[in-house]
Amino acid sequence: NSKVTVHDLRRAYDIYGPDLASLKGKTKSKPSLIVRWEHVPVPTDQEQQLHADIMFVNGEAFLIVVLKPLSYTCVKHLSNGRHAMLWQGC
């Protein structure tokens, strides 16, 4: 005289999954995957070149520095055009 039907059991199985105790006793361990080695070439040192120039825009002086092949660019506003400002740079 139970009100539980077959459909209720199927719904419970879909929600909770199979019995955990029975799964632990029946599962087999799988072998580990084979590790594949891949050679990664070490980057070689490249000679860097520094290009610097003073650029004037509307009468204002700017120090522009480009480092290649790193592609680093730096711009510094030179507030007073003195030689000492150039050494502070970027």
Side-chain angles (χ1 to χ4, degrees):
N1 295 333
S2 176
K3 295 183 181 181
V4 178
T5 65
V6 176
H7 298 292
D8 294 333
L9 293 174
R10 286 185 185 153
R11 270 189 244 120
Y13 185 82
D14 290 340
I15 293 172
Y16 298 109
D19 179 34
L20 187 60
S22 67
L23 282 179
K24 285 185 177 181
K26 296 178 184 176
T27 359
K28 295 182 181 179
S29 61
K30 297 178 182 176
S32 301
L33 298 175
I34 297 173
V35 177
R36 300 188 188 270
W37 290 91
E38 181 179 336
H39 175 70
V40 178
V42 178
T44 58
D45 294 336
Q46 293 181 356
E47 185 176 319
Q48 300 291 322
Q49 296 177 353
L50 179 73
H51 304 278
D53 198 3
I54 299 176
M55 142 178 98
F56 292 92
V57 178
N58 294 334
E60 296 288 326
F62 293 89
L63 173 66
I64 183 166
V65 177
V66 178
L67 187 63
K68 292 204 173 196
L70 191 59
S71 297
Y72 175 74
T73 304
C74 179
V75 178
K76 174 78 174 179
H77 179 255
L78 301 176
S79 59
N80 62 3
R82 290 185 188 165
H83 186 265
M85 274 302 284
L86 292 175
W87 295 109
Q88 291 176 1
C90 298

Coordinates of all heavy atoms in Angstrom, one line a residue:
N1 N 0.8 -1.2 0.0 CA 0.0 0.0 0.0 C 0.9 1.3 0.0 O 0.6 2.2 0.7 CB -0.9 0.0 1.2 CG -1.9 -1.1 1.1 OD1 -2.3 -1.6 0.0 ND2 -2.4 -1.6 2.3
S2 N 1.9 1.3 -0.8 CA 2.8 2.4 -0.8 C 2.3 3.3 -2.0 O 1.9 2.9 -3.0 CB 4.2 2.0 -1.1 OG 5.1 3.1 -1.2
K3 N 2.5 4.6 -1.7 CA 2.1 5.6 -2.8 C 3.2 5.9 -3.7 O 3.1 6.7 -4.6 CB 1.6 6.9 -2.1 CG 0.3 6.7 -1.3 CD -0.2 7.9 -0.8 CE -1.4 7.7 0.0 NZ -2.0 9.0 0.6
V4 N 4.4 5.3 -3.5 CA 5.5 5.5 -4.4 C 5.3 4.6 -5.7 O 5.1 3.4 -5.6 CB 6.8 5.0 -3.7 CG1 8.0 5.2 -4.6 CG2 7.0 5.8 -2.4
T5 N 5.5 5.3 -6.8 CA 5.4 4.6 -8.1 C 6.7 4.4 -8.8 O 7.7 4.9 -8.3 CB 4.4 5.4 -9.0 OG1 5.1 6.7 -9.3 CG2 3.1 5.7 -8.4
V6 N 6.7 3.7 -9.9 CA 7.9 3.5 -10.7 C 8.4 4.8 -11.2 O 9.6 5.1 -11.3 CB 7.6 2.5 -11.8 CG1 8.8 2.4 -12.7 CG2 7.1 1.2 -11.3
H7 N 7.5 5.7 -11.6 CA 7.9 7.1 -12.1 C 8.6 7.9 -11.0 O 9.5 8.6 -11.3 CB 6.6 7.8 -12.6 CG 6.0 7.1 -13.7 ND1 6.5 7.0 -15.0 CD2 4.7 6.5 -13.8 CE1 5.7 6.4 -15.8 NE2 4.6 6.0 -15.1
D8 N 8.2 7.7 -9.7 CA 8.9 8.4 -8.7 C 10.3 7.9 -8.5 O 11.2 8.7 -8.3 CB 8.1 8.2 -7.3 CG 6.8 8.9 -7.3 OD1 6.6 9.9 -8.1 OD2 5.9 8.4 -6.6
L9 N 10.5 6.6 -8.6 CA 11.8 6.0 -8.6 C 12.7 6.5 -9.7 O 13.9 6.8 -9.5 CB 11.7 4.5 -8.6 CG 11.1 3.9 -7.3 CD1 11.0 2.4 -7.5 CD2 11.9 4.2 -6.1
R10 N 12.2 6.6 -10.9 CA 13.0 7.1 -12.0 C 13.4 8.5 -11.8 O 14.5 8.9 -12.1 CB 12.2 6.9 -13.3 CG 12.1 5.5 -13.8 CD 11.4 5.3 -15.1 NE 11.2 3.9 -15.4 CZ 10.3 3.4 -16.2 NH1 9.4 4.2 -16.7 NH2 10.2 2.2 -16.4
R11 N 12.4 9.4 -11.3 CA 12.7 10.8 -11.1 C 13.8 10.9 -10.0 O 14.8 11.7 -10.1 CB 11.5 11.5 -10.6 CG 10.7 12.1 -11.8 CD 9.6 13.0 -11.3 NE 8.4 12.3 -11.8 CZ 7.4 11.9 -11.0 NH1 7.4 12.1 -9.8 NH2 6.3 11.3 -11.6
A12 N 13.8 10.1 -8.9 CA 14.8 10.1 -7.9 C 16.1 9.7 -8.5 O 17.2 10.3 -8.1 CB 14.4 9.2 -6.7
Y13 N 16.2 8.7 -9.3 CA 17.4 8.3 -9.9 C 18.0 9.4 -10.8 O 19.2 9.6 -10.8 CB 17.2 7.0 -10.8 CG 18.5 6.4 -11.3 CD1 19.3 5.6 -10.5 CD2 18.8 6.7 -12.6 CE1 20.5 5.1 -11.1 CE2 20.0 6.1 -13.2 CZ 20.8 5.3 -12.4 OH 22.0 4.8 -12.9
D14 N 17.1 10.1 -11.6 CA 17.6 11.2 -12.4 C 18.2 12.3 -11.6 O 19.1 13.0 -11.9 CB 16.5 11.7 -13.3 CG 16.1 10.7 -14.4 OD1 17.0 9.8 -14.7 OD2 15.0 10.8 -15.0
I15 N 17.5 12.6 -10.4 CA 18.0 13.7 -9.6 C 19.2 13.4 -8.8 O 20.2 14.1 -8.8 CB 16.8 14.1 -8.6 CG1 15.7 14.7 -9.4 CG2 17.3 15.1 -7.6 CD1 14.4 15.0 -8.6
Y16 N 19.2 12.2 -8.1 CA 20.3 11.9 -7.2 C 21.4 11.0 -7.8 O 22.5 10.8 -7.2 CB 19.8 11.2 -5.9 CG 18.8 12.1 -5.2 CD1 17.5 11.9 -5.1 CD2 19.3 13.2 -4.5 CE1 16.6 12.7 -4.4 CE2 18.5 14.0 -3.8 CZ 17.1 13.8 -3.8 OH 16.3 14.6 -3.1
G17 N 21.1 10.4 -8.9 CA 22.1 9.5 -9.6 C 22.1 8.1 -8.9 O 21.3 7.8 -8.1
P18 N 23.0 7.2 -9.4 CA 23.0 5.9 -8.8 C 23.5 5.8 -7.4 O 24.1 6.8 -6.9 CB 24.0 5.2 -9.8 CG 24.8 6.2 -10.3 CD 24.0 7.4 -10.4
D19 N 23.3 4.7 -6.7 CA 23.8 4.5 -5.4 C 25.3 4.6 -5.3 O 26.0 4.0 -6.0 CB 23.3 3.2 -4.9 CG 23.7 2.9 -3.5 OD1 23.7 3.8 -2.7 OD2 23.9 1.7 -3.2
L20 N 25.8 5.5 -4.4 CA 27.2 5.8 -4.3 C 27.9 4.6 -3.7 O 29.1 4.3 -4.2 CB 27.4 7.0 -3.3 CG 28.8 7.5 -3.2 CD1 29.3 8.0 -4.6 CD2 28.9 8.6 -2.2
A21 N 27.4 3.8 -2.8 CA 28.1 2.7 -2.3 C 28.3 1.6 -3.3 O 29.4 1.0 -3.4 CB 27.3 2.1 -1.1
S22 N 27.3 1.4 -4.2 CA 27.5 0.4 -5.2 C 28.5 0.9 -6.3 O 29.2 0.1 -6.9 CB 26.2 0.1 -5.9 OG 25.7 1.2 -6.6
L23 N 28.6 2.2 -6.5 CA 29.6 2.7 -7.5 C 31.0 2.5 -7.0 O 31.9 2.2 -7.7 CB 29.3 4.2 -7.8 CG 28.2 4.5 -8.7 CD1 28.0 6.0 -8.8 CD2 28.4 3.9 -10.1
K24 N 31.2 2.8 -5.7 CA 32.6 2.6 -5.1 C 33.1 1.2 -5.2 O 34.3 1.0 -5.4 CB 32.6 3.1 -3.7 CG 32.5 4.6 -3.6 CD 32.6 5.0 -2.1 CE 32.6 6.5 -2.0 NZ 32.7 7.0 -0.6
G25 N 32.2 0.2 -5.1 CA 32.6 -1.1 -5.2 C 32.8 -1.6 -6.6 O 33.6 -2.6 -6.8
K26 N 32.2 -1.0 -7.6 CA 32.3 -1.5 -9.0 C 33.2 -0.7 -9.9 O 33.5 -1.1 -11.0 CB 30.9 -1.4 -9.6 CG 29.9 -2.4 -8.9 CD 28.5 -2.2 -9.5 CE 27.5 -3.1 -8.7 NZ 26.2 -2.9 -9.2
T27 N 33.7 0.5 -9.5 CA 34.5 1.3 -10.4 C 35.9 0.8 -10.4 O 36.5 0.4 -9.4 CB 34.6 2.7 -9.9 OG1 33.8 2.9 -8.7 CG2 34.2 3.7 -10.9
K28 N 36.5 0.8 -11.6 CA 37.9 0.4 -11.8 C 38.7 1.7 -12.0 O 38.3 2.7 -12.6 CB 38.0 -0.5 -13.1 CG 37.3 -1.8 -13.0 CD 37.5 -2.6 -14.2 CE 36.8 -3.9 -14.2 NZ 37.0 -4.6 -15.4
S29 N 40.0 1.6 -11.6 CA 40.9 2.7 -11.8 C 41.4 2.7 -13.2 O 41.7 1.6 -13.8 CB 42.0 2.7 -10.8 OG 42.8 1.5 -11.0
K30 N 41.5 3.8 -13.8 CA 42.0 3.9 -15.2 C 43.5 4.2 -15.2 O 44.0 5.0 -14.3 CB 41.3 5.0 -15.9 CG 39.8 4.8 -16.1 CD 39.1 5.9 -16.8 CE 37.6 5.6 -16.8 NZ 36.9 6.7 -17.4
P31 N 44.2 3.7 -16.2 CA 45.7 4.1 -16.2 C 45.9 5.5 -16.6 O 45.1 6.2 -17.2 CB 46.2 3.2 -17.3 CG 45.0 2.8 -18.1 CD 43.9 2.8 -17.2
S32 N 47.0 6.1 -16.1 CA 47.3 7.5 -16.3 C 47.6 7.7 -17.8 O 48.1 6.8 -18.5 CB 48.5 7.9 -15.5 OG 48.2 7.7 -14.1
L33 N 47.4 8.9 -18.2 CA 47.7 9.3 -19.6 C 49.2 9.4 -19.7 O 49.9 9.8 -18.8 CB 47.1 10.6 -20.0 CG 45.5 10.6 -20.0 CD1 45.0 12.0 -20.3 CD2 45.0 9.6 -21.0
I34 N 49.8 9.1 -20.9 CA 51.2 9.2 -21.2 C 51.6 10.7 -21.3 O 50.9 11.5 -22.1 CB 51.6 8.5 -22.4 CG1 51.3 7.0 -22.2 CG2 53.0 8.7 -22.8 CD1 51.5 6.2 -23.5
V35 N 52.6 11.2 -20.6 CA 53.0 12.5 -20.7 C 53.9 12.7 -21.9 O 54.9 11.9 -22.1 CB 53.8 12.9 -19.4 CG1 54.3 14.3 -19.5 CG2 52.9 12.8 -18.2
R36 N 53.6 13.6 -22.7 CA 54.4 13.9 -23.9 C 55.3 15.1 -23.7 O 54.8 16.1 -23.3 CB 53.5 14.1 -25.1 CG 52.7 12.9 -25.4 CD 51.9 13.0 -26.7 NE 50.9 12.0 -26.9 CZ 51.1 10.8 -27.4 NH1 52.3 10.6 -27.9 NH2 50.2 9.9 -27.5
W37 N 56.6 15.0 -24.0 CA 57.5 16.1 -23.8 C 57.6 16.9 -25.1 O 57.6 16.3 -26.2 CB 58.9 15.5 -23.5 CG 59.0 14.9 -22.1 CD1 58.8 13.6 -21.8 CD2 59.3 15.6 -20.9 NE1 58.9 13.5 -20.4 CE2 59.2 14.7 -19.9 CE3 59.5 16.9 -20.6 CZ2 59.4 15.0 -18.6 CZ3 59.7 17.3 -19.3 CH2 59.7 16.3 -18.3
E38 N 57.6 18.2 -24.9 CA 57.7 19.1 -26.1 C 58.9 20.0 -25.9 O 59.1 20.6 -24.8 CB 56.4 19.9 -26.2 CG 56.4 20.8 -27.3 CD 55.1 21.6 -27.4 OE1 54.1 21.1 -26.9 OE2 55.1 22.7 -28.0
H39 N 59.7 20.1 -26.9 CA 60.9 21.0 -26.8 C 60.5 22.4 -27.1 O 59.9 22.7 -28.1 CB 62.0 20.5 -27.8 CG 63.2 21.4 -27.9 ND1 64.1 21.5 -26.8 CD2 63.6 22.3 -28.8 CE1 65.0 22.4 -27.2 NE2 64.7 22.9 -28.4
V40 N 60.8 23.3 -26.2 CA 60.6 24.7 -26.4 C 61.9 25.4 -26.5 O 62.8 25.4 -25.6 CB 59.8 25.3 -25.2 CG1 59.6 26.8 -25.3 CG2 58.5 24.6 -25.0
P41 N 62.2 26.0 -27.7 CA 63.5 26.6 -27.9 C 63.7 27.9 -27.0 O 62.7 28.6 -26.7 CB 63.5 27.1 -29.4 CG 62.0 27.1 -29.7 CD 61.3 26.1 -28.8
V42 N 64.9 28.0 -26.5 CA 65.2 29.2 -25.6 C 65.4 30.4 -26.5 O 66.1 30.3 -27.5 CB 66.5 28.8 -24.8 CG1 66.9 30.0 -23.9 CG2 66.3 27.6 -24.0
P43 N 64.8 31.5 -26.2 CA 64.9 32.7 -27.0 C 66.4 33.2 -26.9 O 67.0 33.1 -25.9 CB 64.0 33.7 -26.4 CG 63.7 33.2 -25.1 CD 63.9 31.8 -25.1
T44 N 66.9 33.6 -28.1 CA 68.3 34.1 -28.1 C 68.3 35.5 -27.8 O 67.3 36.3 -28.0 CB 68.9 33.9 -29.5 OG1 68.0 34.5 -30.5 CG2 68.9 32.4 -29.9
D45 N 69.4 36.0 -27.2 CA 69.6 37.4 -26.9 C 69.7 38.2 -28.2 O 70.4 37.8 -29.1 CB 70.8 37.6 -26.1 CG 70.7 37.0 -24.7 OD1 69.5 36.8 -24.3 OD2 71.7 36.7 -24.1
Q46 N 69.0 39.3 -28.2 CA 69.0 40.2 -29.4 C 69.6 41.5 -28.9 O 69.4 42.0 -27.8 CB 67.6 40.4 -30.0 CG 67.0 39.2 -30.6 CD 65.6 39.5 -31.2 OE1 65.2 40.6 -31.1 NE2 65.1 38.5 -31.8
E47 N 70.4 42.1 -29.8 CA 71.0 43.4 -29.5 C 69.9 44.4 -29.6 O 69.1 44.5 -30.5 CB 72.1 43.7 -30.5 CG 72.9 44.9 -30.2 CD 74.0 45.1 -31.2 OE1 74.7 44.1 -31.6 OE2 74.2 46.3 -31.7
Q48 N 69.9 45.3 -28.6 CA 68.9 46.3 -28.5 C 69.5 47.6 -29.0 O 70.7 47.9 -28.8 CB 68.4 46.5 -27.1 CG 67.8 45.3 -26.4 CD 66.4 45.0 -27.1 OE1 65.6 45.9 -27.4 NE2 66.1 43.8 -27.2
Q49 N 68.7 48.4 -29.7 CA 69.1 49.7 -30.3 C 68.3 50.8 -29.6 O 67.0 50.6 -29.6 CB 69.0 49.8 -31.8 CG 69.9 48.8 -32.5 CD 69.6 48.8 -34.0 OE1 68.7 49.5 -34.5 NE2 70.4 48.1 -34.7
L50 N 68.9 51.8 -29.2 CA 68.2 53.0 -28.6 C 68.3 54.2 -29.5 O 69.4 54.6 -29.9 CB 68.8 53.3 -27.2 CG 68.2 54.5 -26.5 CD1 66.8 54.1 -25.9 CD2 69.1 54.9 -25.3
H51 N 67.1 54.7 -29.9 CA 67.0 55.8 -30.7 C 66.4 57.0 -29.9 O 65.3 56.8 -29.4 CB 66.2 55.6 -32.0 CG 66.7 54.4 -32.8 ND1 67.7 54.5 -33.7 CD2 66.3 53.1 -32.8 CE1 68.0 53.3 -34.2 NE2 67.1 52.5 -33.7
A52 N 67.0 58.1 -29.9 CA 66.5 59.2 -29.1 C 66.5 60.5 -29.9 O 67.4 60.7 -30.8 CB 67.3 59.4 -27.8
D53 N 65.6 61.4 -29.7 CA 65.5 62.6 -30.5 C 64.7 63.6 -29.7 O 63.9 63.2 -28.8 CB 64.9 62.4 -31.9 CG 65.2 63.5 -32.8 OD1 65.9 64.5 -32.4 OD2 64.7 63.5 -34.0
I54 N 64.9 64.9 -30.0 CA 64.0 65.9 -29.4 C 63.1 66.4 -30.4 O 63.4 66.7 -31.6 CB 64.9 67.1 -28.9 CG1 65.8 66.6 -27.8 CG2 64.0 68.2 -28.3 CD1 66.8 67.6 -27.3
M55 N 61.8 66.4 -30.1 CA 60.8 66.8 -31.0 C 60.1 68.0 -30.4 O 59.9 68.2 -29.2 CB 59.8 65.6 -31.2 CG 58.4 65.9 -31.3 SD 57.5 64.3 -31.5 CE 56.9 64.0 -29.9
F56 N 59.7 68.9 -31.3 CA 59.1 70.2 -30.9 C 57.6 70.2 -31.5 O 57.4 70.0 -32.7 CB 59.8 71.4 -31.4 CG 61.2 71.6 -30.8 CD1 62.3 71.0 -31.3 CD2 61.3 72.3 -29.6 CE1 63.5 71.2 -30.7 CE2 62.5 72.4 -28.9 CZ 63.6 71.9 -29.5
V57 N 56.7 70.4 -30.6 CA 55.3 70.5 -31.0 C 54.7 71.8 -30.4 O 54.7 72.0 -29.2 CB 54.4 69.3 -30.4 CG1 53.0 69.5 -30.8 CG2 55.0 68.0 -30.9
N58 N 54.4 72.7 -31.3 CA 53.9 74.1 -31.0 C 54.8 74.8 -30.0 O 54.5 75.4 -29.0 CB 52.5 74.0 -30.3 CG 51.4 73.5 -31.3 OD1 51.5 73.7 -32.5 ND2 50.4 72.9 -30.8
G59 N 56.1 74.6 -30.3 CA 57.1 75.3 -29.5 C 57.5 74.6 -28.2 O 58.4 75.0 -27.5
E60 N 56.8 73.5 -27.8 CA 57.1 72.7 -26.6 C 58.1 71.6 -27.0 O 57.9 70.9 -28.0 CB 55.9 72.1 -26.0 CG 54.9 73.1 -25.5 CD 55.4 73.8 -24.3 OE1 56.0 73.2 -23.4 OE2 55.1 75.0 -24.1
A61 N 59.1 71.4 -26.2 CA 60.1 70.3 -26.4 C 59.7 69.0 -25.8 O 59.3 69.0 -24.6 CB 61.5 70.8 -26.0
F62 N 59.9 67.9 -26.5 CA 59.7 66.6 -26.0 C 60.9 65.7 -26.3 O 61.4 65.8 -27.4 CB 58.4 66.0 -26.6 CG 57.1 66.7 -26.2 CD1 56.7 67.7 -27.0 CD2 56.4 66.2 -25.1 CE1 55.5 68.4 -26.6 CE2 55.2 66.9 -24.8 CZ 54.8 67.9 -25.5
L63 N 61.3 64.9 -25.4 CA 62.3 63.9 -25.6 C 61.5 62.6 -26.0 O 60.7 62.1 -25.2 CB 63.1 63.6 -24.4 CG 64.1 62.5 -24.5 CD1 65.2 62.8 -25.5 CD2 64.8 62.2 -23.1
I64 N 61.8 62.0 -27.1 CA 61.2 60.8 -27.6 C 62.3 59.7 -27.7 O 63.4 60.0 -28.3 CB 60.4 60.9 -28.9 CG1 59.7 59.6 -29.2 CG2 61.3 61.4 -30.0 CD1 58.7 59.7 -30.3
V65 N 62.1 58.5 -27.1 CA 63.0 57.4 -27.1 C 62.3 56.2 -27.6 O 61.2 55.9 -27.2 CB 63.6 57.2 -25.6 CG1 64.5 56.0 -25.6 CG2 64.2 58.4 -25.1
V66 N 63.0 55.5 -28.5 CA 62.4 54.2 -29.1 C 63.5 53.2 -28.9 O 64.6 53.4 -29.3 CB 62.1 54.4 -30.6 CG1 61.5 53.1 -31.1 CG2 61.0 55.5 -30.7
L67 N 63.1 52.0 -28.3 CA 64.0 50.9 -28.1 C 63.6 49.8 -29.0 O 62.4 49.3 -28.9 CB 64.0 50.5 -26.6 CG 65.0 49.4 -26.2 CD1 66.4 50.0 -26.3 CD2 64.7 49.0 -24.8
K68 N 64.5 49.4 -29.9 CA 64.1 48.3 -30.9 C 65.0 47.1 -30.7 O 66.2 47.3 -30.3 CB 64.2 48.8 -32.3 CG 63.2 49.9 -32.6 CD 63.0 49.9 -34.1 CE 61.8 50.9 -34.3 NZ 61.2 50.8 -35.6
P69 N 64.7 45.9 -30.9 CA 63.4 45.4 -31.3 C 62.4 45.2 -30.2 O 61.4 44.5 -30.4 CB 63.8 44.0 -32.0 CG 65.0 43.6 -31.2 CD 65.7 44.9 -30.8
L70 N 62.6 45.7 -29.0 CA 61.6 45.6 -28.0 C 60.4 46.4 -28.2 O 59.3 46.1 -27.6 CB 62.3 46.1 -26.7 CG 61.6 45.8 -25.3 CD1 61.4 44.3 -25.1 CD2 62.4 46.4 -24.2
S71 N 60.4 47.4 -29.1 CA 59.3 48.2 -29.5 C 58.8 49.0 -28.2 O 57.6 49.2 -28.0 CB 58.1 47.4 -30.1 OG 58.6 46.8 -31.3
Y72 N 59.7 49.5 -27.4 CA 59.4 50.3 -26.3 C 59.5 51.8 -26.7 O 60.6 52.2 -27.2 CB 60.3 50.0 -25.1 CG 60.1 50.9 -23.9 CD1 58.9 50.7 -23.1 CD2 61.0 51.8 -23.6 CE1 58.8 51.5 -22.0 CE2 60.8 52.7 -22.5 CZ 59.7 52.5 -21.7 OH 59.5 53.3 -20.6
T73 N 58.5 52.6 -26.5 CA 58.6 54.0 -26.9 C 58.2 54.8 -25.6 O 57.3 54.5 -24.9 CB 57.5 54.3 -27.9 OG1 57.8 53.5 -29.1 CG2 57.6 55.8 -28.4
C74 N 59.0 55.9 -25.4 CA 58.8 56.7 -24.2 C 58.9 58.2 -24.7 O 59.8 58.5 -25.5 CB 59.9 56.4 -23.2 SG 59.8 57.4 -21.7
V75 N 58.0 59.0 -24.2 CA 58.0 60.4 -24.5 C 58.0 61.2 -23.2 O 57.2 60.9 -22.3 CB 56.7 60.8 -25.4 CG1 56.7 62.3 -25.6 CG2 56.7 60.0 -26.6
K76 N 58.8 62.2 -23.0 CA 58.9 63.0 -21.8 C 58.9 64.4 -22.2 O 59.7 64.9 -23.1 CB 60.2 62.6 -21.1 CG 60.6 63.4 -19.9 CD 59.7 63.0 -18.7 CE 60.2 63.8 -17.5 NZ 59.5 63.5 -16.3
H77 N 58.0 65.2 -21.6 CA 58.0 66.6 -21.8 C 59.2 67.3 -21.2 O 59.4 67.1 -20.0 CB 56.6 67.2 -21.3 CG 56.5 68.6 -21.5 ND1 56.7 69.5 -20.4 CD2 56.2 69.4 -22.6 CE1 56.5 70.8 -20.9 NE2 56.2 70.7 -22.2
L78 N 59.9 68.1 -21.9 CA 61.0 68.8 -21.4 C 60.5 70.2 -21.0 O 60.3 71.1 -21.9 CB 62.2 68.9 -22.4 CG 62.7 67.5 -22.9 CD1 63.7 67.7 -24.0 CD2 63.3 66.8 -21.7
S79 N 60.4 70.5 -19.8 CA 59.7 71.7 -19.3 C 60.6 72.9 -19.5 O 60.1 74.0 -19.8 CB 59.3 71.6 -17.9 OG 60.4 71.4 -17.1
N80 N 61.9 72.8 -19.4 CA 62.8 74.0 -19.6 C 63.9 73.8 -20.6 O 64.9 74.5 -20.5 CB 63.3 74.4 -18.2 CG 64.2 73.3 -17.6 OD1 64.4 72.3 -18.2 ND2 64.6 73.6 -16.4
G81 N 63.9 72.9 -21.4 CA 64.9 72.8 -22.5 C 66.4 72.8 -22.1 O 67.3 72.9 -22.9
R82 N 66.7 72.7 -20.8 CA 68.1 72.6 -20.3 C 68.7 71.3 -20.6 O 68.0 70.3 -20.7 CB 68.1 72.9 -18.8 CG 67.8 74.3 -18.5 CD 68.0 74.5 -17.0 NE 67.5 75.8 -16.6 CZ 67.3 76.1 -15.3 NH1 67.6 75.2 -14.4 NH2 66.9 77.3 -15.0
H83 N 70.0 71.2 -20.6 CA 70.7 70.0 -20.9 C 70.5 69.0 -19.7 O 70.4 67.8 -19.9 CB 72.2 70.3 -21.0 CG 73.0 69.1 -21.4 ND1 73.6 68.3 -20.4 CD2 73.3 68.5 -22.6 CE1 74.3 67.3 -21.0 NE2 74.1 67.4 -22.3
A84 N 70.3 69.4 -18.5 CA 70.1 68.6 -17.3 C 68.8 67.8 -17.4 O 68.7 66.7 -16.9 CB 70.2 69.4 -16.0
M85 N 67.8 68.4 -18.0 CA 66.5 67.7 -18.2 C 66.6 66.4 -19.0 O 65.9 65.5 -18.9 CB 65.5 68.6 -18.8 CG 64.7 69.5 -17.8 SD 63.9 68.6 -16.5 CE 62.5 68.0 -17.4
L86 N 67.5 66.4 -20.0 CA 67.7 65.3 -20.9 C 68.1 64.1 -20.1 O 67.8 63.0 -20.4 CB 68.7 65.6 -22.0 CG 68.2 66.6 -23.0 CD1 69.3 66.9 -24.0 CD2 67.0 66.2 -23.7
W87 N 69.0 64.2 -19.1 CA 69.5 63.1 -18.3 C 68.4 62.5 -17.4 O 68.5 61.3 -17.0 CB 70.7 63.5 -17.5 CG 71.8 63.9 -18.4 CD1 72.4 65.1 -18.7 CD2 72.5 63.0 -19.3 NE1 73.3 65.0 -19.6 CE2 73.5 63.7 -20.0 CE3 72.5 61.6 -19.6 CZ2 74.3 63.2 -21.0 CZ3 73.4 61.1 -20.5 CH2 74.3 61.8 -21.2
Q88 N 67.4 63.3 -17.0 CA 66.4 62.7 -16.2 C 65.5 61.8 -17.0 O 65.0 60.7 -16.6 CB 65.5 63.8 -15.5 CG 66.3 64.6 -14.5 CD 65.5 65.7 -13.9 OE1 64.4 65.9 -14.3 NE2 66.1 66.4 -13.0
G89 N 65.2 62.2 -18.3 CA 64.5 61.4 -19.3 C 63.4 60.5 -18.8 O 62.6 60.9 -17.9
C90 N 63.2 59.4 -19.4 CA 62.1 58.5 -19.2 C 62.4 57.5 -18.0 O 63.1 56.7 -18.1 CB 61.8 57.7 -20.5 SG 61.3 58.8 -21.8

